[in-house]
Amino acid sequence: MMRTAAGVSLILAIAGGAFGQTEASGPAFEVASVKVSAPLPVGVMTFRLGSLPVSKDPGRVDYQGVTLKNLIARAYDVKDYQIEGPQWLDGERYDVVATIPPGSDKSQVGLMLQRLLTERFKLTLRHESKQMAVYTLAAAKGGAKLEEVDPDKLPAPPPPGSALPPPPPPGPGGAAPKGALPAGAMRMMMGPNSRTLAGAITIERLCTILSNLTDRPVIDLTELKGTYNFNLTWSPDENEKMGKLGPAMSMHGGGDPPPTAASGPSTDGANDPGQTLVQALQINYGLKLEARKNPADILVIEHAEKVPTEN
């Protein structure tokens, strides 16, 4: 159900006591290894969309090729756009493997990461409240028009670092490809006058992708928790940017696939390549994208070492 504007508070609050923790205190991992990631092969690029992969072993964390901004966001339960600091926070990559003490509560993992960041990266930070320009995504009048899918019936995700399958050829009239993608994956294609997102993902991840494409963060107000099929085509306007995503690529929530070959403009069903992103979301999926200004809590990184201390 869509929340009314009067009843919505978009203050991006952080749990009290998380900020300003600069001493190595609180719960800790039993054993932890933090290393600078090996350089990627020439021509391979990686893109993470604000989340870390989930380890198959509940007794450990295993993050490969993640940025310090990824780790801070996970440790303090914030989004990437709530972190301000040097540019390298979103560029240098690390491998983190750690063992969680038996009997630990899942909620303690963030605190363990906080301590690890303090000890290994000498991280210090503070929080500030500031007005932030954002977009909100909510169900439009009449409700969302989405096709929910069972993520357990979608293809399994590829191993981290591997490429997604290449996109199938366009359908009749240049229709967007309909090849099955793993759960949490989206294929993105960018032409000179058109963009297409295709795949089965959550609304939360859709907002993360749109945050990277547009000129401000996108906040999810839909209250929709499922996984949904999207095949969306629109024409970019002056409020969109290329950002970190590059000219054309496939994106996966749990890994770091290299970009796929570029593809030209495409359309699908009711999608009109002449529609703006706002129009395409509302007409085809019953989702309303609006610009607002709201107070937000921001993590300001005061100090962090680029090279972590010895394991």
Side-chain angles (χ1 to χ4, degrees):
M1 180 181 297
M2 185 180 73
R3 306 177 186 174
T4 63
V8 174
S9 172
L10 293 179
I11 297 177
L12 306 175
I14 311 301
F19 293 103
Q21 181 177 340
T22 57
E23 296 182 0
S25 60
F29 294 112
E30 279 192 340
V31 180
S33 170
V34 184
K35 298 179 181 179
V36 177
S37 298
L40 291 169
V42 176
V44 174
M45 301 176 70
T46 64
F47 300 90
R48 282 195 185 275
L49 300 179
S51 63
L52 294 175
V54 178
S55 174
K56 294 181 180 179
D57 184 348
R60 61 188 281 148
V61 298
D62 189 352
Y63 304 146
Q64 302 295 315
V66 299
T67 68
L68 187 53
K69 181 176 280 190
N70 293 149
L71 293 169
I72 294 171
R74 171 64 179 88
Y76 289 90
D77 193 23
V78 299
K79 301 296 186 182
D80 279 4
Y81 56 79
Q82 291 173 263
I83 301 172
E84 292 185 356
Q87 189 172 5
W88 67 263
L89 292 179
D90 209 22
E92 300 296 320
R93 292 182 178 269
Y94 305 92
D95 300 333
V96 178
V97 180
T99 302
I100 301 171
S104 297
D105 189 274
K106 290 182 179 180
S107 62
Q108 293 182 304
V109 175
L111 295 175
M112 294 178 192
L113 277 173
Q114 289 180 27
R115 180 166 178 171
L116 185 71
L117 296 176
T118 300
E119 293 176 340
R120 302 297 179 86
F121 291 91
K122 310 304 178 188
L123 178 70
T124 60
L125 49 82
R126 69 179 190 274
H127 80 96
E128 295 181 356
S129 181
K130 61 185 291 187
Q131 284 290 114
M132 177 178 286
V134 301
Y135 291 114
T136 59
L137 186 70
K141 185 177 181 180
K145 299 180 291 184
L146 296 169
E147 177 193 356
E148 187 168 0
V149 297
D150 184 350
D152 293 334
K153 296 182 180 180
L154 294 171
S162 62
L164 292 174
K178 296 183 179 296
L181 291 174
M186 286 204 84
R187 180 171 287 117
M188 178 167 186
M189 293 169 287
M190 293 188 181
N193 302 306
S194 177
R195 291 180 179 174
T196 294
L197 290 175
I201 60 168
T202 63
I203 298 296
E204 180 182 11
R205 184 151 301 281
L206 174 66
C207 287
T208 302
I209 294 171
L210 296 180
S211 294
N212 281 281
L213 285 173
T214 59
D215 61 347
R216 62 187 69 180
V218 178
I219 311 300
D220 177 16
L221 297 183
T222 65
E223 299 185 352
L224 297 170
K225 304 302 181 183
T227 299
Y228 307 95
N229 268 329
F230 285 91
N231 206 332
L232 184 69
T233 298
W234 76 96
S235 293
D237 59 22
E238 67 277 4
N239 294 320
E240 296 179 46
K241 61 184 180 182
M242 293 300 286
K244 297 177 291 184
L245 299 183
M249 69 207 69
S250 289
M251 299 177 291
H252 184 264
D256 281 303
T260 60
S263 175
S266 59
T267 61
D268 178 46
N271 275 311
D272 178 350
Q275 294 173 348
T276 66
L277 176 59
V278 171
Q279 292 169 334
L281 283 169
Q282 183 156 346
I283 293 171
N284 300 294
Y285 296 100
L287 298 174
K288 190 173 183 179
L289 191 67
E290 291 185 301
R292 296 187 186 181
K293 276 195 173 182
N294 298 277
D297 280 321
I298 304 297
L299 275 175
V300 180
I301 308 306
E302 297 178 327
H303 176 80
E305 300 287 340
K306 189 177 292 188
V307 179
T309 57
E310 294 289 328
N311 298 313

